Amino acid sequence: MSSTRARANREAVDALLAADPVLLGIESAQSAMGLPKTTVLTSGPTMPFAAYTGGQRAAIIGGALYEGLAPDEAAAVAAFDSGAIVVRGCQEFGCVGSLAGVTTASMPVVVVANEATGERAYCTLYEGDSVDRLNYGSYTAATRENLETLRLQVAPALNTLIAAQTEPLRLKPIMARALTMGDELHSRNAAATLLFLRRLLVGAKQLGQELEYALDSLCDDYFFLRLSMAASKVMANAMCGVANSSVVTAMAFSCAQFGIQTSGTGDTWFTGPLPTFEDFRLESGYDADDIEFMGGESIITEVVGLGGIAQAAGLPLQRSSGRSVVRMVARTTAMYDITVTESPDFLIPVLNYRGTPLGLDVERIIQPTGITPFLDIGIAGRSGRQIGGGVARAPREPFLKAWEALTTA
């Protein structure tokens, strides 16, 4: 590696380490992001509506129906085809989408800012563990009712708690401590959610019904994931725009392709085939033929040294997707070979509190070793629900394309 590129990569990673993600509150996507009423966001690099298939397509259509942009599915499809409704990638608006990632104007989003720079990132609220979840390709009466509960009850209640705080709600300290308590901040967020709940209740007195709504939402282990995603996006964005840097600043996938962005190549997406699973566990009655990729941007956590990169911190996942503790530790250890440095903030107890691998480096990833990032992801089924979880490997092709662009510019 040239000294110029090494300095650029170090500059990008130092900017990430200086980032201080703070939860500001919850707003509608229209208010927070300027999202037009007739635009539906989804995970992955933007594609034409016709290119979306399966559950991701169903979720996009469901988003249009939820916003009242069409009376039925056929009318929604016609409106997308004519351009009356537009589909775009979440990250064009600074948003990160979980799985299908559908985000529409009226949906509440968490607003997280890098206090060091003021830059913001956004993510929708967790839909709970219901079978009827829009981000898993299901739009039913129950889905709509749940989305309305989030908008009308949960979001206002959480904002009341946030407004009661006397100090900024800093997310990195919560994430750092949770990593030492069995979370890797992607597929496992149990400790982080409890730590966030404890932090949020500081200053909350008699809030009555609003407190009840907030507590119901916060009692789900996965609540913190959306905060982790938005915080990770803010930190990853801090690495953007460093000339010559080969550090990855974003990863995402749709139903059809996986893509990355790098610090030295701006907003350009470099795409390739979908990830492949190395290990997974499915609910009883399902097999590999039932798995469907519907998109996903929660792998932004891997970009900042969490998730599949930090599997050795999330050993409780062995029961749900990791398969083997020895293998999980080995996966994290392998990631040190394709990253720039180690995080001083996110530490792994089982590795003697070694920092998580940080700064995925395209130049290292394209080497003949064939090592690519590990991704901890939830698994959607063709039935339109979550059917399990697994460990996937990113494809090599996008990194090769990014390296070519970096070295021929």
Side-chain angles (χ1 to χ4, degrees):
M1 177 182 293
S2 70
S3 59
T4 299
R5 194 173 309 283
R7 285 194 300 271
N9 288 348
R10 187 68 237 191
E11 179 183 346
V13 170
D14 285 346
L16 180 150
L17 292 172
D20 187 8
V22 174
L23 176 62
L24 300 183
I26 301 170
E27 300 179 33
S28 72
Q30 186 172 48
S31 170
M33 301 155 45
L35 183 62
K37 176 79 172 177
T38 55
T39 297
V40 175
L41 303 184
T42 194
S43 292
T46 302
M47 303 190 300
F49 172 72
Y52 292 98
T53 59
Q56 187 169 27
R57 179 183 174 92
I60 293 167
I61 293 169
L65 297 178
Y66 174 66
E67 286 296 326
L69 300 176
D72 54 39
E73 181 177 338
V77 170
F80 277 114
D81 287 340
S82 70
I85 309 176
V86 177
V87 62
R88 295 175 66 179
C90 288
Q91 297 194 45
E92 290 187 36
F93 283 78
C95 180
V96 278
S98 178
L99 218 116
V102 168
T103 305
T104 62
S106 69
M107 289 181 182
V109 294
V110 298
V111 182
V112 175
N114 180 357
E115 193 165 70
T117 64
E119 183 163 6
R120 298 185 176 191
Y122 316 91
C123 189
T124 56
L125 292 172
Y126 179 57
E127 292 179 66
D129 61 1
S130 169
V131 170
D132 300 277
R133 282 185 275 173
L134 188 62
N135 72 318
Y136 274 87
S138 174
Y139 185 71
T140 64
T143 307
R144 179 176 181 80
E145 181 179 356
N146 189 40
L147 292 173
E148 287 293 88
T149 297
L150 290 175
R151 183 175 70 88
L152 299 174
Q153 297 177 354
V154 174
L158 289 170
N159 264 333
T160 299
L161 288 175
I162 293 167
Q165 304 304 304
T166 57
E167 297 181 358
L169 268 167
R170 303 185 186 281
L171 299 179
K172 189 189 287 187
I174 293 174
M175 298 163 76
R177 186 173 183 189
L179 211 68
T180 69
M181 298 169 66
D183 285 358
E184 40 68 88
L185 279 301
H186 187 168
S187 286
R188 190 177 194 272
N189 285 267
T193 298
L194 290 172
L195 291 170
F196 177 71
L197 171 59
R198 188 177 73 170
R199 175 66 179 81
L200 198 59
L201 290 179
V202 173
K205 305 299 183 184
Q206 300 299 317
L207 296 180
Q209 186 69 61
E210 288 187 327
L211 180 57
E212 182 180 336
Y213 288 140
L215 290 178
D216 283 346
S217 177
L218 285 163
C219 282
D220 194 298
D221 285 350
Y222 274 98
F223 177 87
F224 195 84
L225 173 58
R226 306 308 177 88
L227 299 179
S228 178
M229 289 169 61
S232 295
K233 180 63 175 171
V234 157
M235 290 188 282
N237 283 351
M239 297 190 289
C240 294
V242 179
N244 297 312
S245 174
S246 53
V247 168
V248 174
T249 55
M251 296 193 294
F253 58 89
S254 64
C255 58
Q257 59 183 354
F258 175 94
I260 69 166
Q261 294 175 332
T262 76
S263 179
T265 52
D267 295 332
T268 301
W269 284 100
F270 302 96
T271 61
L274 290 166
T276 54
F277 282 105
E278 180 169 285
D279 274 328
F280 60 85
R281 290 183 188 267
L282 303 179
E283 293 179 9
S284 178
Y286 295 95
D287 59 30
D289 291 337
D290 295 306
I291 295 174
E292 180 181 329
F293 280 95
M294 295 185 188
E297 298 186 329
S298 51
I299 52 175
I300 192 69
T301 56
E302 275 76 357
V303 172
V304 302
L306 300 170
I309 304 295
Q311 251 194 38
L315 298 184
L317 286 171
Q318 182 272 336
R319 296 190 299 271
S320 61
S321 62
R323 292 287 183 180
S324 160
V325 166
V326 171
R327 198 180 304 176
M328 293 172 74
V329 171
R331 287 175 185 137
T332 292
T333 303
M335 295 297 93
Y336 290 109
D337 292 338
I338 60 171
T339 48
V340 174
T341 187
E342 300 173 17
S343 174
D345 301 310
F346 301 138
L347 310 177
I348 304 176
V350 75
L351 296 182
N352 200 28
Y353 288 86
R354 186 178 184 181
T356 65
L358 180 64
L360 290 167
D361 180 12
V362 167
E363 184 172 5
R364 289 175 169 89
I365 293 170
I366 65 161
Q367 297 306 309
T369 58
I371 301 173
T372 60
F374 287 106
L375 315 170
D376 283 350
I377 57 178
I379 297 177
R382 301 185 190 282
S383 56
R385 55 167 295 184
Q386 183 172 6
I387 62 171
V391 182
R393 294 295 293 265
R396 197 160 180 261
E397 288 85 337
F399 301 97
L400 291 169
K401 291 177 181 178
W403 180 246
E404 182 178 2
L406 284 161
T407 53
T408 59

